[in-house]
Amino acid sequence: MTNSPPQADPDIAAQRTGLAIALLSLDSVRPFLPLIDFPPEIDALALQHALREAILENREAFQSSGEIPDLRARMLRTLTKRLGASAAEATDAWLSKTFVYAPPDSRPLANWKYVLSDARRDPVRWRRLGLPEIVAERARAALDEALDLKPLHAVDDWVSDRPLSLWDTEMYARHHFHDERRDPYIPIQQTYSGLKFRRFLAWLVANTSADDRARLRGRASELIRERPGQYAAGELLDLADLV
């Protein structure tokens, strides 16, 4: 289950790629990698060293030419040279399909997440979704688990208790990561949260019929219309298209 964000705008694509590479190079991000589905077969330390090499070479190229080099292309070349073609391809796939660069990447899930999260807190609204009785309570429990971020918070607490490495200190300064709006934890949390919610949706699709999901979509849309202005613009997508 992966997220396939729209990348028609080359500037946004370059921004998300640059941010993802910067984050993957950080010592403080490495403990989060198992939680955000980064390919486990890739050695995390070797990955960091290769990405740092690509970042430094890109800086030198920019200083020499005054033109912004293609960081993704350099990353692919460096990873292929240092870790092999399969590692380069797997990293690139994670960057483009799993990493959440908010807000564009999370938008397709937003209303589903909001309306289901809201309904789960109210038994009456949850019943109005029209899920089959045999599925409804299991789905509510599965959604509770999907929205639980405690495993991520535990890693964040561990990381926050440790000082930044020299590399991280420099990258924080260059990318203004100390600014709460650019905190590296934000895309990490959104990636983790998106992965868990998509797994929940995959479970829901596997345990309901097409008619069940059509009814759920219609009822959820009614709940959204009852609270205008609370949800993001746009129609609810078919759940099968989101997993």
Side-chain angles (χ1 to χ4, degrees):
M1 291 160 290
T2 54
N3 186 11
S4 299
Q7 292 193 4
D9 187 328
D11 291 332
I12 290 180
Q15 289 168 17
R16 78 186 309 281
T17 299
L19 175 61
I21 292 173
L23 294 182
L24 289 176
S25 79
L26 297 176
D27 293 301
S28 54
V29 166
R30 191 169 67 248
F32 292 102
L33 296 186
L35 292 177
I36 54 177
D37 275 15
F38 191 80
E41 68 274 13
I42 299 176
D43 182 87
L45 279 173
L47 172 79
Q48 281 185 313
H49 293 155
L51 292 180
R52 292 175 185 183
E53 179 181 333
I55 289 169
L56 293 174
E57 288 180 353
N58 242 43
R59 285 183 198 167
E60 292 175 1
F62 173 70
Q63 290 167 358
S64 298
S65 68
E67 298 180 359
I68 299 176
D70 186 337
L71 180 57
R72 176 177 173 270
R74 191 176 299 274
M75 175 201 74
L76 290 172
R77 290 196 301 271
T78 305
L79 289 180
T80 299
K81 178 173 67 175
R82 300 298 184 194
L83 303 179
S86 61
E89 291 168 3
T91 300
D92 193 45
W94 183 89
L95 290 177
S96 63
K97 297 178 181 178
T98 301
F99 177 67
V100 172
Y101 176 62
D105 295 349
S106 58
R107 197 167 290 142
L109 293 179
N111 276 346
W112 272 115
K113 190 171 185 179
Y114 294 154
V115 71
L116 293 178
S117 300
D118 184 38
R120 98 187 208 281
R121 292 190 286 266
D122 182 341
V124 174
R125 289 175 70 79
W126 187 257
R127 286 194 295 273
R128 284 183 60 191
L129 292 173
L131 286 168
E133 186 175 346
I134 195 171
V135 173
E137 284 310 306
R138 290 169 58 205
R140 196 172 179 183
L143 179 58
D144 285 342
E145 195 284 326
L147 298 174
D148 180 12
L149 301 183
K150 287 195 291 291
L152 190 75
H153 295 331
V155 175
D156 184 50
D157 290 342
W158 185 88
V159 169
S160 297
D161 285 340
R162 284 151 179 78
L164 293 176
S165 66
L166 290 176
W167 175 266
D168 286 19
T169 298
E170 179 195 348
M171 293 294 283
Y172 264 67
R174 281 181 173 271
H175 292 271
H176 306 287
F177 286 152
H178 288 293
D179 184 331
E180 63 180 15
R181 295 169 299 177
R182 300 187 179 188
D183 187 339
Y185 186 67
I186 294 173
I188 296 297
Q189 176 175 311
Q190 290 168 334
T191 299
Y192 177 72
S193 175
L195 284 165
K196 292 193 73 177
F197 189 65
R198 282 179 185 277
R199 290 187 185 118
F200 163 73
L201 294 183
W203 177 90
L204 194 58
V205 168
N207 285 274
T208 53
S209 68
D211 287 342
D212 294 333
R213 295 192 296 277
R215 182 171 57 253
L216 172 62
R217 187 180 181 186
R219 299 283 183 85
S221 296
E222 290 176 7
L223 294 180
I224 289 175
R225 286 193 291 271
E226 289 175 4
R227 298 187 177 180
Q230 181 171 329
Y231 298 94
E235 297 293 323
L236 290 174
L237 300 180
D238 190 308
L239 289 179
D241 294 334
L242 293 173
V243 299

